[in-house]
Amino acid sequence: MATENAPPGKKALYGMFPQLGAPLGFLCSTATFLLLTTALSDAQLLSWGWRVPFLASSLLVFVGLYVRLRLAETPAFQRAIENDERVRVPMLAVIANRPRTLILGTFAAVATFLHFYLMTVFSLSWATAALKIPRTEFLVLQMIGVLFFAATIPLSAVVADRRTRRGMLITATLGVIGFGMVTGPLFGSGNAFGVLAFLCLGLAVVGFTYGPLGHCWRSCFRLPCATPARL
């Protein structure tokens, strides 16, 4: 909806605002977990403390429902309705009519989200279990790294609009591959400077994929906005 309401030449810029929810949400959730870790013992955290963030986040369901009920459809989708382009099962229409686009979009997202969860979930587990880094210390380092994640999302969106979104996404994916070459030496060092460099660099690379990703389905792979395959 963000990209379909964007003016010409600013599709990626408008599309990156929903993407900013990832780093902002990560900062909020990590800060909450860090607070619980500091305030509770390990036994209390494992017994009932871990439920607190989940119960608190349930309030966001009502916020999301309110926002959704207040939203109007985009002009692009209104045109699809007026032209009677809707289909009964959109997912089947995508699979049957646009398999190449579906495969390309899936692989484009795999590099981004696989790298994101390696930098957040896996790195936390490995750092505390294998490298013996205190959990609170690593969470602070992760929060610093996420600031680089948040900073590169709008930067990549601006570049994507001025150049091409497809080119920005390909360049960022190559950056993910290049980052894999230095992951072992930086993260495996176990020292605070190396681990922080690993987190800042890795999360910055993820951010470069997020700007153009918000609009890649239509713009990078030329999927018309008024297609009946509205997911």
Side-chain angles (χ1 to χ4, degrees):
M1 298 193 72
T3 58
E4 289 181 6
N5 281 297
K10 294 186 178 180
K11 298 292 186 181
L13 182 64
Y14 275 55
M16 71 90 186
F17 282 102
Q19 306 292 60
L20 281 175
L24 295 178
F26 186 87
L27 285 173
C28 292
S29 62
T30 304
T32 302
F33 187 67
L34 185 60
L35 178 63
L36 291 172
T37 302
T38 305
L40 303 177
S41 65
D42 286 345
Q44 290 173 321
L45 183 64
L46 294 174
S47 175
W48 58 269
W50 65 270
R51 292 184 173 90
V52 174
F54 290 96
L55 293 174
S57 67
S58 64
L59 298 176
L60 294 176
V61 175
F62 297 100
V63 175
L65 180 61
Y66 172 79
V67 172
R68 180 64 188 92
L69 293 176
R70 302 284 294 181
L71 287 176
E73 290 293 355
T74 64
F77 190 57
Q78 286 292 343
R79 287 194 297 271
I81 295 176
E82 294 168 1
N83 295 332
D84 195 25
E85 295 177 338
R86 290 182 297 177
V87 295
R88 186 179 298 275
V89 186
M91 177 58 77
L92 292 181
V94 171
I95 295 173
N97 301 329
R98 299 183 180 271
R100 181 177 179 273
T101 300
L102 179 62
I103 293 171
L104 288 173
T106 299
F107 278 107
V110 164
T112 298
F113 294 113
L114 176 62
H115 190 56
F116 173 78
Y117 286 109
L118 284 174
M119 295 302 305
T120 54
V121 180
F122 169 76
S123 64
L124 175 61
S125 175
W126 185 264
T128 54
L131 302 179
K132 307 301 180 184
I133 300 176
R135 183 166 51 201
T136 54
E137 178 181 334
F138 190 79
L139 288 174
V140 172
L141 295 177
Q142 270 194 327
M143 292 178 71
I144 296 173
V146 168
L147 296 177
F148 287 80
F149 179 24
T152 54
I153 291 177
L155 178 60
S156 68
V158 171
V159 175
D161 277 332
R162 291 183 178 180
R163 304 294 182 178
T164 65
R165 285 169 282 277
R166 179 185 295 209
M168 183 68 243
L169 191 58
I170 292 174
T171 302
T173 302
L174 292 176
V176 171
I177 297 172
F179 173 74
M181 305 299 178
V182 299
T183 294
L186 290 177
F187 193 30
S189 66
N191 64 72
F193 179 78
V195 172
L196 180 60
F198 158 77
L199 291 170
C200 293
L201 182 59
L203 287 167
V205 170
V206 178
F208 277 115
T209 70
Y210 264 59
L213 188 66
H215 193 238
C216 77
W217 274 85
R218 278 212 334 265
S219 183
C220 293
F221 304 114
R222 298 185 176 88
L223 182 63
C225 63
T227 177
R230 184 178 178 88
L231 301 178

